[in-house]
């Protein structure tokens, strides 16, 4: 039985944002995510200092390979062992790896190979950590609070992205990459005892039986079959894939090229990204405060379609202030649809399958969607920003159309 040694609680009756148990999890997740932000900044800085730009690019991208290849297996491990054990163990390994590299960089100059090994280890452990993080909320609060937890998680991500870069830059300025790595490791270390203190809910008997009943390969096939047959989860994965494919390219490499084309510069691009961050943070705050959005399936579609139109309009923005306002709207709508999709995955999946469900969603977002970045860059080089942003908007809008056409998603509701 997964997590048999974890402290247990009955199904909680209080709101998630007032539940000390949930707040401990949010604090742990925030510390770990903040450590991640500093880690990736330190990794890219150290790679640039130790190698050529091409070598630095390879080092910073290499962690994505084991993460994408191993995440499905990581979801199986999470469902067999329980998310609490896996998230604590993987976070402890991530912490140790980063602190060891920080110590080596303080003591000597081991070269680029050490950074590549660290990136590989971090990516491999992330293949366990990310599904465990996704599966844990269902074990610490009731289904009626999972949408609120998704909002709180979104706020933690926004906070980490805003604060992590300045903290990482400060670490590099004070003591180089070694100091930044040390800071990242210490922040991840803070999350470990907090995770240990998080109490767990009892699984229903059927979920206990479903978790890890056969071989790992059979569990993997069962999980994929479960998603495919599910009236909400199957089409919802397609909605997430289309939304991310249409969103990731324009709002990453595409925005950089657009800012250069319009003469906005790095500062202008920063303002556009800030507008997006404010919009996404507002959506996360809305879900945290309300705890539930009625007609969630319709809202997902209703946010994706105008959000897609805003992506296409961003390339036509005549001035920087208009672009910032458009980005704020994109962030608000994308943040709302993304948080609701995450909440629907959480509430629609049986807890025993949540590791595998989260792993498939993670592969879509972290494995498939990033492929749109080099494709967007190459396409912009040939056709320019306007047509490529328009195509991306159409792909994202298609996700909203799928949400409207799939009855399971269209009629999906969050528990009250």
């Amino acid at each position: 039985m997964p997590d048999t040694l974890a402290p247990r609680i009955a199904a909680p009756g209080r709101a998630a944002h007032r539940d000390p148990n949930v707040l401990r999890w949010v604090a742990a997740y925030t510390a770990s995510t903040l450590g991640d932000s500093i880690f990736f900044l330190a990794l890219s800085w150290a790679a640039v200092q130790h190698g050529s730009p091409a070598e630095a690019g390879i080092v910073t991208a290499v962690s994505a390979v084991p993460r994408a290849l191993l995440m499905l297996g990581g979801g199986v491990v999470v469902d067999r062992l329980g998310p609490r054990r896996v998230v604590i163990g993987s976070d402890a390994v991530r912490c140790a790896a980063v602190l060891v590299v920080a110590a080596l960089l303080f003591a000597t100059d081991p070269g680029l190979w050490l950074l590549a090994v660290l990136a590989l280890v971090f990516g491999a452990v992330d293949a366990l950590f990310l599904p465990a993080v996704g599966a844990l909320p269902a074990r610490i609060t009731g289904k009626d609070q999972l949408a609120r937890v998704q909002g709180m998680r979104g706020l933690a991500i926004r906070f980490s992205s805003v604060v992590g870069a300045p903290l990482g830059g400060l670490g590099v300025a004070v003591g180089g990459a070694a100091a930044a790595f040390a800071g990242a490791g210490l922040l991840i270390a803070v999350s470990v005892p907090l995770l240990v203190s998080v109490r767990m809910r009892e699984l229903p008997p059927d979920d206990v039986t479903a978790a890890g009943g056969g071989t790992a390969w059979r569990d993997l096939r069962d999980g994929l079959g479960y998603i495919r047959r599910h009236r909400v989860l199957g089409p919802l994965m397609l909605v997430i894939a289309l939304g991310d494919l249409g969103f990731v390219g324009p709002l990453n490499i595409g925005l950089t090229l657009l800012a250069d084309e319009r003469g906005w510069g790095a500062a202008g691009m920063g303002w556009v990204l800030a507008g997006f961050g404010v919009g996404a943070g507002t959506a996360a705050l809305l879900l945290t405060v309300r705890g539930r959005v009625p007609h969630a399936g319709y809202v997902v579609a209703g946010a994706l379609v105008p959000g897609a139109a805003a992506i296409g309009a961003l390339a036509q923005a005549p001035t920087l202030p208009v672009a910032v306002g458009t980005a704020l709207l994109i962030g608000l709508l994308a943040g709302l649809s993304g948080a609701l999709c995450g909440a629907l995955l959480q509430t629609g999946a049986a807890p025993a399958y949540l590791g595998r469900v989260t792993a498939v969603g993670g592969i879509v977002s972290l494995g498939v969607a990033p492929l749109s970045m080099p494709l967007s860059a190459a396409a912009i080089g040939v056709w320019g920003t306007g047509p490529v942003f328009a195509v991306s908007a159409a792909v994202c809008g298609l996700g909203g159309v799928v949400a409207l056409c799939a009855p399971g998603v269209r009629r999906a509701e969050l528990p009250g």
Side-chain angles (χ1 to χ4, degrees):
M1 185 185 299
D3 281 351
T4 52
L5 300 180
R8 302 287 184 173
I9 56 173
R14 69 176 73 188
H17 62 303
R18 297 190 182 97
D19 186 345
N21 194 50
V22 175
L23 293 176
R24 285 193 296 271
W25 176 82
V26 172
Y29 181 72
T30 303
S32 185
T33 306
L34 187 56
D36 283 356
S37 298
I38 297 173
F39 165 78
F40 284 109
L41 186 145
L43 182 67
S44 60
W45 178 267
V48 168
Q49 298 302 306
H50 286 82
S52 67
E55 291 171 331
I58 292 173
V59 168
T60 54
V62 75
S63 64
V65 176
R67 184 188 299 121
L69 292 178
L70 301 176
M71 194 175 293
L72 278 178
V76 172
V77 172
V78 169
D79 286 335
R80 290 174 74 90
L81 299 182
R84 184 177 184 272
R85 288 176 175 175
V86 176
V87 78
I88 292 171
S90 57
D91 226 20
V93 172
R94 285 157 25 109
C95 171
V98 175
L99 290 178
V100 166
V101 170
L104 289 174
L105 288 176
F106 271 121
T108 183
D109 185 11
L112 204 61
W113 69 268
L114 178 66
L115 300 176
V117 170
L118 175 62
L120 282 170
V121 170
F122 212 83
V125 179
D126 263 358
L128 293 168
F129 177 78
L130 294 174
V133 164
L136 197 60
R139 312 289 184 98
I140 62 175
T141 191
K143 279 197 171 186
D144 61 324
Q145 294 299 313
L146 287 176
R148 181 170 274 132
V149 172
Q150 283 297 117
M152 297 165 74
R153 184 178 178 184
L155 288 174
I157 292 171
R158 294 301 151 202
F159 173 81
S160 299
S161 64
V162 170
V163 176
L167 279 180
L170 178 62
V172 169
V174 171
F181 277 128
L186 291 175
L187 279 167
I188 297 173
V190 169
S191 71
V192 176
L194 286 170
L195 288 170
V196 171
S197 70
V198 172
R199 297 170 295 158
M200 304 288 287
R201 298 173 64 227
E202 293 283 357
L203 278 179
D206 290 345
D207 288 333
V208 174
T209 303
T215 65
W217 178 249
R218 181 178 176 179
D219 285 354
L220 176 59
R221 288 191 292 111
D222 286 348
L224 294 175
Y226 173 77
I227 294 170
R228 179 177 54 82
R229 294 187 301 270
H230 201 285
R231 61 190 297 270
V232 176
L233 300 181
L236 188 60
M237 289 295 183
L238 180 57
V239 172
I240 293 171
L242 290 170
D244 283 349
L245 280 171
F247 173 82
V248 170
L251 267 295
N252 286 276
I253 187 67
L255 180 58
T256 303
L257 297 174
L258 179 65
D260 181 65
E261 178 185 289
R262 297 298 178 85
W264 296 338
M269 184 179 71
W271 279 108
V272 175
L273 287 173
F276 167 77
V278 169
T282 301
L285 182 61
L286 172 67
L287 199 56
T288 300
V289 173
R290 286 188 57 87
R292 181 178 179 271
V293 175
H295 310 296
Y298 280 106
V299 174
V300 167
L304 276 174
V305 173
I311 290 174
L314 182 61
Q316 309 301 327
T319 64
L320 180 58
V322 173
V324 172
T326 305
L328 191 150
L329 179 62
I330 295 171
L332 179 64
L333 295 172
L336 182 60
S337 63
L340 287 177
C341 283
L344 289 172
L345 287 181
Q346 290 275 319
T347 56
Y353 288 99
L354 261 175
R356 283 161 284 184
V357 170
T358 305
V360 173
I363 288 175
V364 168
S365 297
L366 301 175
V368 177
L371 295 177
S372 64
M373 288 192 283
L375 291 176
S376 295
I380 288 173
V382 176
W383 292 294
T385 54
V388 173
F389 271 62
V391 171
S392 297
V395 172
C396 187
L398 185 58
V401 173
V402 171
L404 285 174
C405 293
V409 177
R410 183 177 68 245
R411 299 169 186 162
E413 289 281 5
L414 296 173

